[in-house]
Amino acid sequence: MKDEFPLAPGIPMHLLTERGLNESFLDVVERHRREDLPVVVRRAGKVVALPVDQLLPEMTKARNRIAELTAEIEKYERSAFSVNETPR
């Protein structure tokens, strides 16, 4: 995970934000795994503490979404102009 927010002119903020949230989720799960701590989540309307291995579907979904968002962001980064600018 990056330590500072990237400068990203022309890239929609919602893409960066969603990717950051997914990366943060994976970071939290990894820290809990290293420290052998359960992760507290809401399941079926109840707050429960789960071992990290029970979060594998959510972790896979987060990794897949990060890949999708990264691909979408790369489309903007390859653009010759910002979406806020008029092309010449």
Side-chain angles (χ1 to χ4, degrees), residues 39-82:
V39 178
V40 177
V41 297
R42 184 176 296 270
R43 289 271 171 100
K46 297 180 181 178
V47 177
V48 294
L50 297 175
V52 171
D53 63 345
Q54 289 187 18
L55 294 173
L56 292 178
E58 289 88 348
M59 292 169 60
T60 300
K61 184 177 178 181
R63 285 187 189 100
N64 291 340
R65 188 62 183 144
I66 289 169
E68 292 170 3
L69 291 165
T70 299
E72 184 68 25
I73 289 167
E74 286 175 358
K75 292 177 188 176
Y76 285 96
E77 291 175 339
R78 290 188 190 126
S79 176
F81 61 93
S82 167

Side-chain angles (χ1 to χ4, degrees), residues 4-15:
E4 63 183 59
F5 190 82
L7 295 176
I11 298 175
M13 187 61 70
H14 71 277
L15 297 175

Side-chain angles (χ1 to χ4, degrees), residues 5 12-22:
F5 190 82
M13 187 61 70
H14 71 277
L15 297 175
L16 297 170
T17 302
E18 186 179 350
R19 184 175 69 177
L21 286 171
N22 281 288

